[in-house]
């Protein structure tokens, strides 16, 4: 290439430069050169050089943008081939026209306008900037730099505008399941159901495509920080607005210690709901959005992603960490288990992106999870403590199932809704040797190979058995004591059999032993009450020298009547709430009493003269006794003693 030097002989003569542009070489041709091009008029190309971007140049409607880009390509190509780098080239007049077009487009353009010319312009400006950097004229670099910065500023604003989530996704639909279990309640929030309209919040494919072009252009121009900041700020605000709709702002870690548990339960429920929405919807949606927008710069986005969600997650973790510091109390178990599960879900959602930038965040989540798990283990210790110290001095009326029995069994039953979570917690706790020492040893029939959770459940059951044994001593009547132990034993057995998880953990041997104990109390009750009654109608002593001693016979009937009346009066208020057990008891009593009484009456009733005080001695017919037995164990304090006559 021809070299020129001196001020009067500029790098390329203006006439020669123009003639070259009028016939650009094929190697410089643009992809749209097949369109008819118009040579730029002298009045358009020539303008007075200025460091400021010229906005006074007239722009005809039919200016060929492709031709301008071709001129810039040719200029960049020519100066890149100059060997003498000591004399900077003079910028061609087309730069001023180019500047005016850029200013016009960046002033009036909207997100709906085709900005292809600007994308192409950035590519040319970067080439020019690189080529001119080899020369010493900083004013030329500044002019090119100003044009580039103007476009970058415009694109940054365009990116912000596109990133504003104008189609806010609807609030997740939640069906809150509430179950009250005496003095505790469990509300387990289901997974939110996000909107099915879009895979990512509020953006069409066209929006995604535009953002992707902007990001690629800004990154290629060296504006990584500006692009990253614009994206992070816009999406951070959008995420915060999403969470605000779930009352995110109302969570206050500082107030946790001041709130009553009743108020705190509602607070934790809201927190759980937010974490689930974050894990199951917002994180996956944000990840997918970022991967599409930063398709050529995914490593950059991954760093942005972690920083984007870190501040929000940190505040949520602060709340959970403060709750985990509360004094362990058995009634708090279910909320702690909810928190444990959703934090694992949050961790899985983040880990699903498989990026090492998430390691620190995962460590923070894991730390809070460990504190909550420790609280869960200690809550079972609190449950054992509550059982151990429940020393009521007044027996339950009628020998009914004790409230403590109902509480503990329902507690364990609903706790086993979280059986997989509890297994995980107790396994980990066992590895860390953090399981509290129980004051109760597992029963002999407990399989020692069972899991740590199974051992914990067995320990609770053993403590409950011991507590009930002590409470049974409050009943002075041995028969009522047997009814009490039978009632509670049967209730425990039925609850355990009704929960496949608890039954599996305690094992078949435990269930067989419990069934055997209930049968033992049943037999003991029958022996204490009804075997004694049958002693009144024994044959022994009635026959004297082969004849019936009427005095002894009358005394036997009188004693039977008196004892039966006393049994019915005393045991009328007693309760057996389990219908099957109630039926079994009545049937077994009738099977023992009715045949013996019917035989006794049939054998000796003819020794009484009809109509002469026979009702005084044979007060009840066998059918009367059977009918009255059928009224037992319903908790009735007064029962009709009607009877049939001969």
């Amino acid at each position: 290439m021809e070299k020129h030097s001196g001020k009067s002989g500029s790098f390329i003569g203006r006439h020669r430069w123009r003639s070259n542009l009028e016939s650009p070489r094929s190697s410089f041709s643009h992809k749209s050169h097949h369109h008819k091009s118009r040579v730029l008029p002298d009045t358009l190309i020539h303008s007075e050089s200025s460091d400021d971007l010229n906005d006074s140049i007239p722009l005809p409607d039919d200016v060929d943008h492709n031709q301008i880009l071709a001129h810039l390509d040719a200029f960049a190509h020519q100066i890149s081939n100059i060997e003498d780098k000591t004399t900077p080239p003079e910028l061609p007049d087309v730069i001023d026209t180019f500047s005016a077009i850029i200013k016009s487009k960046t002033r009036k353009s909207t997100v709906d306008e085709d900005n292809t010319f600007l994308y192409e312009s950035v590519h040319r400006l970067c080439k020019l900037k690189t080529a001119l950097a080899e020369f010493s004229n900083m004013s030329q670099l500044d002019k090119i730099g100003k044009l580039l910065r103007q476009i970058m500023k415009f694109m940054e604003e365009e990116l912000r505008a596109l990133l504003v989530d104008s189609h806010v996704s609807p609030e997740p639909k939640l069906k809150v399941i509430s179950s009250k279990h005496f003095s505790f309640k469990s509300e387990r929030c289901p997974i939110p159901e996000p909107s099915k309209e879009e895979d990512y919040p509020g953006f069409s494919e066209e929006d995604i495509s535009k953002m992707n072009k902007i990001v690629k252009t800004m990154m290629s121009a060296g504006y990584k920080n500006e692009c990253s900041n614009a994206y992070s700020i816009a999406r951070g605000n959008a995420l915060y607005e999403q969470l605000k709709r779930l009352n995110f702002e109302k969570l206050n870690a500082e107030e946790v210690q001041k709130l009553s548990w009743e108020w705190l339960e509602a607070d934790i429920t809201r927190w759980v709901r937010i974490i689930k929405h974050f894990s199951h919807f917002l994180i996956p949606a944000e990840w997918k959005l970022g991967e599409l927008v930063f398709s050529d710069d995914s490593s950059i986005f991954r760093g942005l992603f972690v920083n984007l969600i870190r501040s929000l997650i940190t505040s949520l973790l602060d709340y959970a960490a403060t709750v985990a510091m509360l004094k362990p109390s058995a009634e708090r178990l279910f909320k702690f288990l909810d928190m444990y599960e959703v934090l694992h879900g949050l961790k899985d959602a983040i880990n699903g992106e498989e990026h090492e930038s998430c390691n620190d965040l995962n460590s923070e989540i894991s730390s809070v999870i460990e504190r909550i798990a420790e609280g869960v283990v200690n809550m079972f210790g609190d449950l054992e403590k509550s059982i151990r110290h429940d020393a009521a001095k007044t027996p339950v009326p009628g020998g009914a199932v004790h409230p403590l029995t109902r509480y503990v069994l329902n507690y364990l039953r609903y706790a086993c809704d979280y059986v997989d979570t509890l297994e995980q917690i107790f396994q980990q706790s066992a590895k860390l040797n953090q399981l509290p020492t129980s004051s109760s040893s597992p029963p002999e029939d407990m399989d020692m190979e069972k899991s740590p959770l199974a051992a914990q459940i067995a320990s609770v059951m053993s403590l409950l058995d011991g507590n009930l044994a002590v409470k049974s001593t409050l009943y002075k009547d041995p028969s009522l004591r047997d009814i009490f132990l039978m009632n509670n034993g049967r209730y425990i057995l039925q609850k355990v059999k009704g929960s496949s998880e608890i039954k599996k953990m305690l094992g078949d041997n435990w269930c067989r032993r419990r069934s055997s104990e209930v049968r033992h109390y049943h037999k003991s009750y029958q022996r204490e009450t009804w075997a004694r009654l049958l002693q009144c109608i024994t044959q022994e002593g009635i026959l004297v020298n082969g004849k019936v001693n009427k005095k002894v016979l009358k005394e036997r009937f009188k004693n039977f009547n008196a004892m039966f009346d006393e049994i019915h009066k005393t045991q009328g208020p007693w309760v057996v709430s389990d219908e099957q057990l109630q039926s079994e008891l009545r049937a077994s009593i009738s099977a023992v009493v009715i045949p013996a009484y019917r035989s006794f009456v049939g054998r000796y009733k003819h020794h009484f003269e009809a109509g002469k005080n026979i009702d005084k001695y044979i007060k009840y017919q066998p059918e009367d006794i059977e009918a009255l037995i059928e009224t037992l164990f319903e908790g009735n304090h007064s029962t009709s003693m009607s009877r049939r006559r001969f």
Side-chain angles (χ1 to χ4, degrees):
M1 181 179 287
E2 200 177 350
K3 295 181 183 179
H4 297 267
S5 63
K7 293 183 180 180
S8 59
S10 61
F11 160 61
I12 300 177
R14 184 159 305 201
H15 176 75
R16 183 176 177 185
W17 169 245
R18 186 178 297 128
S19 64
N20 282 342
L21 293 182
E22 289 170 0
S23 302
R25 293 174 294 178
S26 59
S27 59
F28 301 147
S29 62
H30 188 266
K31 64 181 180 180
S32 300
H33 281 176
H34 62 276
H35 296 301
K36 184 177 180 180
S37 299
R38 184 178 66 84
V39 178
L40 297 176
D42 291 349
T43 56
L44 178 60
I45 295 178
H46 180 71
S47 65
E48 295 201 358
S49 179
S50 171
D51 287 337
D52 296 328
L53 299 178
N54 195 336
D55 61 353
S56 62
I57 299 177
L59 294 175
D61 294 334
D62 57 350
V63 172
D64 191 331
H65 293 167
N66 291 327
Q67 187 178 10
I68 292 177
L69 294 175
H71 295 336
L72 294 178
D73 282 335
F75 178 60
H77 177 77
Q78 289 188 21
I79 63 175
S80 65
N81 291 325
I82 297 176
E83 296 180 3
D84 183 4
K85 305 297 183 182
T86 59
T87 304
E90 180 182 338
L91 294 179
D93 297 335
V94 75
I95 289 293
D96 294 325
T97 304
F98 178 62
S99 301
I101 295 173
I102 288 176
K103 186 161 189 178
S104 173
K105 282 189 167 292
T106 56
R107 174 183 293 170
K108 68 182 181 181
S109 180
T110 67
V111 292
D112 295 324
E113 185 173 328
D114 183 6
N115 291 318
T116 303
F117 177 77
L118 292 180
Y119 300 136
E120 296 290 344
S121 297
V122 170
H123 176 64
R124 270 63 176 195
L125 286 170
C126 289
K127 286 171 62 177
L128 283 174
K129 188 177 178 182
T130 301
L132 289 171
E134 299 182 9
F135 298 89
S136 58
N137 192 330
M138 296 305 296
S139 63
Q140 293 177 339
L141 270 178
D142 286 344
K143 186 166 186 176
I144 298 300
K146 284 181 180 180
L147 282 173
L148 188 57
R149 285 192 297 274
Q150 184 174 353
I151 298 176
M152 290 298 102
K153 183 179 179 182
F154 168 77
M155 288 192 172
E156 183 179 340
E157 293 303 318
E158 290 282 275
L159 182 60
R160 290 182 190 274
L162 285 165
L163 284 168
V164 172
D165 188 358
S166 59
H167 303 86
V168 180
S169 59
E171 187 172 352
K173 300 175 183 178
L174 293 176
K175 298 178 182 177
V176 180
I177 303 171
S178 301
S179 301
K180 295 185 178 180
H181 319 304
F182 300 93
S183 61
F184 64 88
K185 59 184 178 179
S186 171
E187 295 181 0
R188 199 172 188 181
C189 293
I191 296 173
E193 300 175 6
S195 171
K196 296 181 180 179
E197 294 178 1
E198 297 167 346
D199 292 329
Y200 28 86
F203 301 105
S204 64
E205 291 185 7
E206 184 180 1
D207 290 337
I208 299 292
S209 178
K210 288 179 180 179
M211 287 188 280
N212 180 261
K213 287 180 181 178
I214 291 174
V215 167
K216 286 181 179 179
T217 303
M218 293 186 73
M219 290 292 182
S220 66
Y223 280 73
K224 168 188 169 183
N225 291 338
E226 290 79 0
C227 178
S228 299
N229 289 338
Y231 185 89
S232 296
I233 292 172
R235 291 314 302 158
N237 291 338
L239 272 178
Y240 185 77
E241 287 299 318
Q242 285 269 333
L243 295 181
K244 267 180 66 176
R245 292 166 51 245
L246 296 174
N247 293 322
F248 169 75
E249 291 179 308
K250 291 185 180 180
L251 296 175
N252 190 335
E254 296 177 359
E255 295 180 356
V256 167
Q257 300 288 348
K258 303 175 185 177
L259 293 175
S260 67
W261 179 245
E262 182 178 351
W263 282 94
L264 195 55
E265 273 189 305
D267 226 23
I268 294 174
T269 298
R270 180 167 57 248
W271 179 91
V272 168
R273 189 184 187 196
I274 291 171
I275 292 289
K276 284 191 174 183
H277 188 60
F278 208 92
S279 302
H280 293 279
F281 180 50
L282 294 186
I283 287 181
E286 284 300 320
W287 179 264
K288 184 169 185 179
L289 174 65
E291 285 283 271
L292 292 170
V293 172
F294 288 82
S295 60
D296 289 354
D297 302 277
S298 57
S299 61
I300 293 175
F301 165 68
R302 288 169 184 168
L304 295 179
F305 173 77
V306 175
N307 292 330
L308 184 63
I309 62 175
R310 182 185 296 278
S311 61
L312 295 175
I313 289 179
T314 298
S315 62
L316 290 168
L317 291 178
D318 288 344
Y319 178 85
T322 307
V323 171
M325 293 171 63
L326 293 173
K327 183 180 178 181
S329 175
E331 66 176 352
R332 299 172 179 174
L333 174 69
F334 302 100
K335 289 302 174 190
F336 270 57
L337 289 171
D338 284 339
M339 295 174 71
Y340 181 93
E341 288 185 345
V342 296
L343 284 176
H344 262 290
L346 177 63
K347 188 176 178 182
D348 290 342
I350 295 173
N351 285 341
E353 315 315 339
E354 300 180 353
H355 183 51
E356 60 184 11
S357 299
C358 301
N359 290 345
D360 290 343
L361 194 54
N362 280 329
S363 296
E364 293 179 35
I365 298 173
S366 296
S367 176
V368 177
I369 288 175
E370 289 172 6
R371 278 182 263 177
I372 292 174
E374 183 179 352
V376 168
V377 172
N378 291 333
M379 284 172 192
F380 273 87
D382 183 72
L383 176 63
E384 290 188 340
K385 181 179 178 182
S386 299
I387 297 171
R388 199 179 304 118
H389 293 146
D390 188 90
K393 297 181 180 180
T394 304
V396 176
V401 177
H402 199 281
L404 177 65
T405 304
R406 294 184 185 275
Y407 177 88
V408 172
L409 268 296
N410 279 287
Y411 189 94
L412 294 180
R413 176 188 169 192
Y414 286 102
C416 283
D417 286 346
Y418 301 83
V419 64
D420 293 337
T421 299
L422 286 170
E423 287 282 13
Q424 184 179 4
I425 290 173
F426 277 89
Q427 286 282 4
Q428 186 64 27
S429 185
K431 290 179 182 178
L432 298 175
N433 297 318
Q434 291 179 350
L435 285 175
T437 302
S438 173
S439 60
S440 175
S441 301
E444 294 180 359
D445 51 23
M446 176 70 185
D447 187 349
M448 299 311 294
E449 297 299 320
K450 293 287 186 179
S451 68
L453 175 61
Q456 177 64 71
I457 298 295
S459 175
V460 170
M461 298 301 295
S462 181
L463 273 174
L464 178 61
D465 285 342
N467 185 285
L468 291 173
V470 173
K471 283 179 167 56
S472 70
T473 62
L474 297 173
Y475 298 97
K476 302 307 178 184
D477 188 331
S479 295
L480 184 54
R481 186 183 308 146
D482 289 330
I483 290 291
F484 173 76
L485 291 172
M486 195 189 323
N487 270 326
N488 284 271
R490 181 60 169 252
Y491 181 87
I492 291 170
L493 182 61
Q494 294 302 98
K495 284 291 184 180
V496 169
K497 286 183 175 179
S499 170
S500 58
E501 293 85 4
I502 300 178
K503 185 176 183 295
K504 181 179 179 181
M505 284 186 281
L506 293 177
D508 292 334
N509 288 338
W510 185 94
C511 291
R512 282 192 289 269
R513 180 177 67 85
R514 178 66 60 175
S515 295
S516 178
E517 288 176 356
V518 172
R519 287 194 299 271
H520 167 75
Y521 298 135
H522 185 159
K523 291 178 180 178
S524 177
Y525 161 76
Q526 197 159 298
R527 183 172 58 252
E528 285 289 335
T529 299
W530 302 102
R532 288 175 54 216
L533 177 66
L534 293 179
Q535 289 296 319
C536 297
I537 55 176
T538 181
Q539 305 287 339
E540 186 179 350
I542 293 180
L543 293 176
V544 178
N545 297 323
K547 295 183 178 180
V548 173
N549 188 327
K550 288 189 176 182
K551 183 179 179 180
V552 173
L553 180 61
K554 289 178 181 179
E555 193 66 27
R556 293 286 170 89
F557 273 108
K558 285 172 63 177
N559 289 342
F560 178 88
N561 294 337
M563 184 174 288
F564 182 79
D565 287 347
E566 180 63 25
I567 290 172
H568 194 272
K569 178 183 176 182
T570 302
Q571 298 191 12
W574 293 5
V575 178
V576 176
S577 53
D578 183 277
E579 292 183 0
Q580 184 179 349
L581 179 59
Q582 185 187 78
S583 178
E584 290 173 359
L585 270 172
R586 290 170 176 172
S588 66
I589 294 168
S590 294
V592 171
V593 174
I594 301 304
Y597 183 68
R598 178 177 283 114
S599 174
F600 191 79
V601 170
R603 186 170 184 176
Y604 295 109
K605 69 179 179 180
H606 65 276
H607 291 284
F608 297 93
E609 294 182 18
K612 291 187 177 182
N613 298 325
I614 189 170
D615 289 351
K616 179 179 178 180
Y617 301 105
I618 306 179
K619 186 176 180 180
Y620 301 105
Q621 290 298 308
E623 293 79 8
D624 298 330
I625 298 293
E626 188 171 15
L628 289 171
I629 288 173
E630 288 299 312
T631 66
L632 293 175
F633 314 123
E634 292 182 351
N636 298 322
H637 289 269
S638 60
T639 306
S640 174
M641 299 286 285
S642 62
R643 62 186 186 274
R644 300 179 185 180
R645 290 183 173 272
F646 286 101

